[in-house]
């Protein structure tokens, strides 16, 4: 934002180099009330540096800062408050958005470097449940944000296609499975077998040992075990891809845990070579006592490998393959210890790039305050939720706009957008209570509200021959200016959502932009023919551009009509 940089540059110049322009930029705020100004700089840090009262520093700075972009600069207690030249700034912002279109808000932070982003990663042979939604939509949105900030994201679906659960499933299939039934409805039948195994294992502990032996056979290349595993993997992936298509999510790689089977020995040899492996209770581990953490298990006493072995191998493979600038793992917060251990082991191996690994944790999707569990069969299938959301959107469209063209496509965009937005408007760290009713509400702080605001802006433009011209003049009324200020803030929000790894920053921003735009729509005669009509329409067009781009970053479509 040009004016923000000018303000920051002038403040930095007055600090005798003690605060850089970038540091000042980070600290500039938007005052809570419009009568306090448009930009504000707190002087507390300068008070510590100069050993002076921050209010005196603010008064001194305010007297020295002038520019044609500023109508007034004043001090208010410890703050330097800047009032912008509304007409000049609004005209420039609107012209900038009209020129850049969807590229508005783009950053060059990444300079084209690659970032691997590991997300979604459902377990094969289990249904794609609501519990998988968070990693999928947070990961997809963050990959889009990385791209917007100049990185080249490599989207990886590290499928859970290996591990002791396959021993359990193979054991269950041999005991109770029916091939015809499994072929008819693979995921449903495999889930039933998986749940039954756990129910029976509670009564008979020998089943767990049988499952361990089947998994060991699978690791050793037993033909029957491999044949069943391959079958389970293929039918699951086919079903998953249908859901990803609905969610508009794609991947560059589906290399899951099994992909690293023939690569792990090299990792274990490397750990031995560096003298990092030790034995604990007959298992091979890397100790992390110096970090006050439990040891990282590498190989169990029976020779079976673990998640850590695979994640170490995957990280090394990804660095060799992609030469990533950083690598992000979008995995629930219950895996925080695991990733701390893996990252520290990679550091101990001497890989400098280990400092560029980031775990992006998130809370659970809860049902009645409890985590959903596949093991106990308490699972809400994501596909069913998506289909029901689309159905409800269709019903709503039929009631409100029965003559709408492309009803089926709009219903899909709205229904799925509602579910994605409900998740992404929540800070990733917080858990989300699953409630179909809340997710599909078509008013308030929801995805359909944002989509409808975009459609409303498009409708206004349609009435004015479909597009807006360049603004003839700036806009200075209170309602227009509130929208301009929000539009001006979009590049900052993109940067913040990247730095904080929070797509929720974009979602919350879109809600506030839509609220300001709807106030503008309710209070201004946009299509009134006068010398400001072109500028008002330019504001509508720019709002539509930014809403559409913001929704795209979240992985949501923006219908032109609803």
């Amino acid at each position: 934002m040009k004016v923000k940089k000018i303000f920051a540059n002038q403040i930095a110049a007055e600090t005798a180099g003690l605060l850089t322009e970038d540091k000042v930029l980070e600290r500039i705020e938007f005052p809570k009330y419009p009568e306090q100004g448009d930009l504000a700089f707190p002087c507390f840090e300068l008070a510590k540096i100069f050993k002076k009262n921050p209010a005196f520093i603010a008064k001194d700075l305010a007297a020295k800062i002038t520019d044609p972009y500023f109508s007034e600069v004043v001090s208010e207690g410890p703050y330097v408050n800047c009032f912008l030249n509304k007409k000049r700034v609004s005209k420039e912002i609107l012209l900038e958005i009209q020129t850049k279109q969807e590229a508005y808000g783009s950053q060059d932070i990444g300079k084209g470097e690659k970032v691997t982003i590991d997300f979604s990663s459902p377990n094969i042979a289990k249904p794609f449940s609501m519990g998988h939604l968070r990693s999928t939509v947070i990961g997809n949105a963050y990959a889009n944000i990385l791209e917007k900030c100049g990185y080249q994201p490599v989207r990886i679906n590290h499928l859970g296609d290996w591990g002791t659960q396959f021993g359990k499933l193979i054991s269950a299939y041999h005991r109770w499975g029916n091939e015809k039934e499994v072929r008819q409805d693979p995921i449903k039948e495999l889930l039933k077998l998986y749940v039954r195994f756990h129910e029976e294992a509670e009564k008979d502990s020998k089943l767990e040992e049988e499952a361990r032996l089947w998994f060991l056979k699978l690791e050793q290349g037993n033909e029957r075990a491999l044949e069943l595993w391959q079958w389970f993997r293929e039918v699951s992936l086919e079903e998953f891809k249908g859901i990803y298509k609905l969610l508009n999510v794609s991947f560059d790689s589906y290399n899951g845990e099994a992909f690293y089977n023939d690569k792990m020995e090299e990792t274990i040899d490397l750990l031995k070579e560096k003298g990092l492996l030790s034995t604990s209770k007959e298992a091979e581990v890397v100790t992390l006592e110096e970090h006050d953490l439990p040891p990282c298990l590498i190989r169990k006493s029976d020779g079976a490998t673990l998640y850590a072995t695979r994640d170490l191998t995957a990280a090394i493979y990804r660095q060799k393959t992609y030469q990533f600038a950083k690598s992000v793992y979008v995995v629930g917060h219950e895996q925080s210890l695991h990733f701390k251990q893996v990252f520290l082991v990679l550091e101990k191996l001497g890989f400098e790039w280990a400092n560029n690994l980031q775990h992006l944790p998130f809370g659970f999707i809860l049902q009645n305050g409890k985590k959903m569990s596949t093991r106990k069969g308490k699972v809400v299938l994501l596909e069913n939720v998506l289909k029901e959301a689309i159905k409800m959107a269709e019903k709503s469209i039929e009631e409100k706009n029965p003559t709408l063209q492309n009803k089926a496509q709009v219903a899909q965009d709205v229904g799925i957008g509602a579910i994605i937005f409900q998740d992404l408007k929540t800070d990733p760290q917080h858990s989300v209570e699953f409630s179909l009713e809340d997710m599909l509400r078509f008013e308030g702080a929801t995805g359909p509200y944002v989509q409808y605001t975009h459609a409303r802006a498009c409708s206004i433009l349609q009435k004015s021959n479909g597009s807006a011209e360049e603004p003839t003049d700036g806009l200075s009324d209170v309602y227009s200016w509130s929208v301009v200020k929000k539009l001006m803030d979009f590049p900052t929000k993109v940067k913040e959502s990247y730095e904080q790894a929070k797509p929720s920053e974009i979602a919350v921003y879109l809600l506030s932009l839509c609220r300001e735009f709807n106030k503008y729509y309710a209070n201004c005669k946009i299509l009134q023919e006068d010398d400001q009509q072109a500028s008002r329409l330019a504001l509508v067009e720019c709002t539509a551009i930014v809403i559409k781009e913001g929704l795209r970053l979240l992985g949501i479509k923006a219908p032109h009509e609803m």
Side-chain angles (χ1 to χ4, degrees):
M1 184 167 106
K2 187 176 175 182
V3 287
K4 201 171 168 185
K5 280 181 80 75
I6 293 167
F7 186 48
N9 177 272
Q10 291 205 23
I11 290 169
E14 294 298 331
T15 68
L18 291 168
L19 281 185
T20 63
E21 183 184 312
D22 285 344
K23 288 281 182 196
V24 175
L25 264 174
E26 284 171 18
R27 286 153 182 76
I28 289 174
E29 301 170 9
F30 291 96
K32 194 172 180 182
Y33 303 106
E35 58 271 19
Q36 292 176 314
D38 301 306
L39 302 171
F41 174 74
C43 296
F44 303 110
E45 197 169 344
L46 289 176
K48 286 179 188 172
I49 294 168
F50 292 121
K51 305 281 190 291
K52 281 185 183 177
N53 185 315
F56 294 156
I57 294 171
K59 193 175 182 182
D60 188 43
L61 276 174
K64 293 174 180 174
I65 293 170
T66 57
D67 191 273
Y69 281 105
F70 311 148
S71 60
E72 190 182 9
V73 180
V74 298
S75 64
E76 187 174 316
Y79 287 87
V80 180
N81 288 358
C82 173
F83 292 83
L84 299 177
N85 180 328
K86 293 181 177 64
K87 288 209 163 199
R88 179 169 182 165
V89 171
S90 60
K91 186 176 179 181
E92 285 202 13
I93 290 292
L94 298 179
L95 281 169
E96 184 184 352
I97 297 170
Q98 284 182 322
T99 304
K100 291 182 176 175
Q101 296 285 315
E102 66 274 6
Y104 178 65
S106 296
Q107 321 272 329
D108 190 29
I109 301 163
K111 306 205 177 298
E113 290 189 300
K114 285 181 181 167
V115 175
T116 57
I117 178 160
D118 178 329
F119 66 102
S120 194
S121 312
N123 288 322
I124 290 300
K126 289 186 190 175
F128 204 119
S129 74
M130 279 299 293
H132 297 107
L133 178 71
R134 299 218 73 193
S135 176
T136 306
V137 299
I138 293 168
N140 184 55
Y142 194 51
N144 293 338
I145 290 162
L146 283 164
E147 203 162 30
K148 184 82 174 168
C149 289
Y151 287 99
Q152 196 180 328
V154 180
R155 297 165 171 87
I156 297 171
N157 195 338
H158 186 76
L159 294 168
D161 60 0
W162 205 248
T164 52
Q165 77 265 28
F166 288 98
K168 293 172 184 179
L169 201 55
I170 292 167
S171 170
Y173 182 77
H174 273 288
R175 280 174 173 265
W176 312 294
N178 178 308
E179 185 179 347
K180 188 182 174 187
E181 285 174 4
V182 173
R183 288 200 182 277
Q184 276 175 348
D185 197 343
I187 299 297
K188 185 185 170 190
E189 290 304 317
L190 291 173
L191 175 64
K192 268 166 69 176
L193 289 171
Y194 188 73
V195 171
R196 185 170 178 185
F197 177 89
H198 283 281
E199 287 169 352
E200 299 289 342
E202 281 177 16
K203 301 173 213 163
D204 182 1
S205 59
K206 287 177 189 169
L207 278 176
E208 292 285 357
E209 185 54 38
E210 185 183 294
R212 276 193 289 273
L213 287 170
W214 267 115
F215 179 56
L216 195 58
K217 283 182 184 179
L218 184 59
E219 284 211 303
Q220 291 166 346
N222 175 279
E223 196 176 323
R224 178 62 176 154
L226 276 171
E227 181 191 324
L228 285 172
W229 170 80
Q230 188 68 41
W231 177 37
F232 297 158
R233 189 183 193 277
E234 282 169 9
V235 294
S236 299
L237 196 50
E238 196 175 323
E239 189 158 311
F240 293 165
K241 283 182 176 176
I243 292 163
Y244 290 133
K245 192 176 178 186
L246 274 177
L247 289 170
N248 196 28
V249 172
S250 61
F251 294 93
D252 301 298
S253 165
Y254 282 95
N255 289 339
E257 293 179 55
F259 177 77
Y260 300 100
N261 279 346
D262 61 352
K263 299 167 184 64
M264 284 185 290
E265 209 54 52
E266 201 177 319
T267 303
I268 294 166
D269 288 344
L270 190 58
L271 289 164
K272 282 178 185 167
E273 192 186 303
K274 297 277 184 179
L276 294 174
L277 275 189
S278 56
T279 307
S280 172
K281 297 176 185 173
E282 297 181 5
E284 289 181 290
V285 304
V286 176
T287 59
L288 296 167
E289 286 170 3
E290 69 275 30
H291 298 284
D292 292 322
L293 292 175
C296 182
L297 267 77
I298 302 298
R299 189 151 50 186
K300 290 199 280 192
S301 56
D302 63 3
T305 52
L306 293 108
Y307 285 125
T309 330
R310 281 177 169 65
D311 279 340
L312 290 166
T313 307
I316 294 165
Y317 172 84
R318 288 170 190 173
Q319 175 56 222
K320 281 180 184 169
T321 307
Y322 303 111
Q323 289 88 50
F324 57 72
K326 45 185 197 172
S327 188
V328 181
Y329 297 79
V330 187
V331 184
H333 57 47
E334 71 275 22
Q335 293 296 324
S336 293
L337 172 62
H338 166 77
F339 283 109
K340 272 182 197 166
Q341 291 175 312
V342 168
F343 298 171
L344 286 167
V345 172
L346 289 164
E347 268 184 46
K348 288 180 93 161
L349 279 167
F351 294 120
E352 285 181 22
W353 48 263
N355 295 316
N356 302 324
L357 305 177
Q358 179 186 9
H359 174 213
L360 202 173
F362 54 85
F364 299 122
I365 287 194
L366 306 173
Q367 195 172 20
N368 301 321
K370 293 179 182 175
K371 185 189 169 192
M372 295 177 183
S373 168
T374 314
R375 182 175 293 188
K376 293 178 181 168
K378 291 176 185 172
V379 67
V380 178
L381 299 185
L382 179 57
E383 187 175 19
N384 292 351
V385 174
L386 295 175
K387 285 179 177 172
E388 194 164 340
I390 293 166
K391 206 185 294 177
M392 287 179 76
E394 273 174 350
K395 189 182 171 193
S396 181
I397 289 165
E398 200 59 57
E399 287 167 5
K400 292 174 184 174
N401 192 358
T403 60
L404 178 70
Q405 292 187 322
N406 302 320
K407 270 191 276 195
Q409 185 59 54
V410 173
Q412 183 169 310
D413 293 346
V414 172
I416 288 171
I419 288 169
I420 295 174
F421 194 89
Q422 177 74 9
D423 189 300
L424 292 181
K425 74 175 186 183
T426 307
D427 186 306
Q429 301 289 342
H430 301 155
S431 290
V432 176
E433 180 69 34
F434 169 66
S435 160
L436 199 55
E437 196 182 307
D438 287 346
M439 287 184 173
L440 301 175
R441 198 165 279 148
F442 290 86
E443 66 281 325
T446 66
Y449 169 71
V450 177
Q451 289 172 313
Y452 185 72
T453 305
H454 174 266
R456 170 174 275 171
C458 292
S459 168
I460 296 165
L461 293 172
Q462 199 62 41
K463 287 172 188 167
S464 70
N465 301 322
S467 67
E469 297 170 10
E470 286 186 3
T472 48
D473 194 7
L475 296 163
S476 59
D477 68 277
V478 64
Y479 298 108
S480 303
W481 182 241
S482 290
V483 180
V484 169
K485 281 207 293 184
K486 283 291 170 194
L487 295 174
M488 207 161 51
D489 200 22
F490 182 57
T492 305
K493 288 299 171 191
V494 169
K495 189 167 183 260
E496 284 174 3
S497 66
Y498 155 69
E499 288 171 345
Q500 297 172 30
K502 286 183 181 178
S504 55
E505 289 290 315
I506 300 286
V508 172
Y509 164 80
L510 286 174
L511 288 169
S512 64
L513 171 61
C514 290
R515 279 192 289 270
E516 294 308 326
F517 178 77
N518 285 318
K519 283 183 209 165
Y520 166 68
Y521 172 80
N523 289 281
C524 296
K525 292 177 179 174
I526 298 166
L527 293 170
Q528 183 175 299
E529 291 186 16
D530 58 24
D531 58 357
Q532 290 235 299
Q533 188 196 50
S535 299
R536 288 193 300 271
L537 285 169
L539 182 59
V540 173
E541 181 184 51
C542 291
T543 303
I545 289 166
V546 171
I547 293 174
K548 186 179 180 182
E549 179 60 6
L551 286 172
R552 184 194 71 79
L553 292 175
L554 299 179
I556 299 171
K557 299 278 180 69
H560 278 71
E561 286 183 273
M562 272 172 71

